Amino acid sequence: MATLSACSTTSKHAGTQHEEFGATGAFTRSFPGSEKTACESARRALLSQGYVISDWKPSALKGRRKYQPDVDVHAEIEFNVVCVADSKGSNSTTVFANAIRDRYSLKKSNTSASIGVSAIGSVSLPFGSTDDALVKVASETIPTGQFYEQFFELVERYLDSVPYMPDTEEDKKTVATPAPATQAATPVTPPETVVKQSDE
């Protein structure tokens, strides 16, 4: 009974361990600089590892990378990065990283052909075409701390090489454009009136 109880407790804990919140820093790292600089460094880090940037904003981005670990197995990693300033006016940013791995398996399905016979109706024969399709078989968040550690090391490496990030169009709209200075009206001197005297 004690053995069965221990097995039941272990199985229950294994099923809920991914649903608990814990004090872990595997998915976050703080960097000096602004949000734009941190996210630009993250974008370059993902590009250097073969990721395709599918969505990019000054404070968030998303990248995808596909690979084939086995002949009939395909996988795709979706990497999400969000950059948030630590406080208003501060010169440090916290980068949140999250990677989701989807696995696809190649499934084959045989399509049989049907022919019509006037005496007995429709008959299905085993010959036909074979269709191959990728079916998603698994989807999970990568929990490995070393995976994110290597990503943050790349971000830190590109942090020094990122140039000054100019303001976006939305930032420019918030800055009031000074009104053009009005020039004082210059009085116009009327032309001198020339009086022509008639010869007497």
Side-chain angles (χ1 to χ4, degrees):
M1 291 295 293
T3 304
L4 293 177
S5 177
C7 292
S8 176
T9 304
T10 304
S11 177
K12 181 179 179 181
H13 178 72
T16 60
Q17 61 180 348
H18 297 292
E19 302 173 2
E20 299 176 355
F21 288 92
T24 175
F27 304 96
T28 63
R29 181 69 61 87
S30 182
F31 295 96
S34 63
E35 303 175 7
K36 299 177 185 178
T37 303
C39 266
E40 175 61 20
S41 302
R43 186 176 74 95
R44 298 187 182 191
L46 292 179
L47 288 173
S48 68
Q49 299 301 308
Y51 283 83
V52 177
I53 306 301
S54 57
D55 188 13
W56 179 73
K57 297 178 182 179
S59 59
L61 61 98
K62 180 183 297 184
R64 293 178 180 271
R65 177 184 176 183
K66 298 181 179 181
Y67 61 98
Q68 189 173 354
D70 201 353
V71 178
D72 294 335
V73 177
H74 298 256
E76 179 177 347
I77 295 179
E78 180 183 273
F79 210 106
N80 301 282
V81 179
V82 177
C83 305
V84 181
D86 291 339
S87 61
K88 186 177 181 181
S90 68
N91 196 31
S92 60
T93 301
T94 299
V95 177
F96 299 87
N98 166 266
I100 301 175
R101 178 169 51 204
D102 296 332
R103 290 183 178 272
Y104 299 85
S105 180
L106 188 63
K107 302 294 183 181
K108 298 182 179 182
S109 59
N110 295 324
T111 304
S112 60
S114 300
I115 59 175
V117 181
S118 58
I120 59 176
S122 179
V123 177
S124 297
L125 299 179
F127 60 86
S129 60
T130 302
D131 297 332
D132 297 339
L134 287 175
V135 180
K136 182 187 289 188
V137 295
S139 181
E140 64 172 350
T141 300
I142 299 178
T144 309
Q146 185 180 1
F147 176 80
Y148 299 99
E149 182 71 21
Q150 294 174 352
F151 165 72
F152 289 134
E153 289 178 357
L154 277 177
V155 173
E156 188 174 3
R157 185 184 307 173
Y158 282 98
L159 198 62
D160 297 333
S161 61
V162 174
Y164 170 75
M165 300 299 298
D167 294 335
T168 59
E169 294 297 330
E170 295 181 358
D171 296 335
K172 292 179 181 179
K173 292 179 182 178
T174 59
V175 179
T177 304
T182 57
Q183 297 179 355
T186 304
V188 179
T189 304
E192 298 180 355
T193 306
V194 180
V195 179
K196 184 179 181 181
Q197 298 179 356
S198 59
D199 296 334
E200 292 181 357

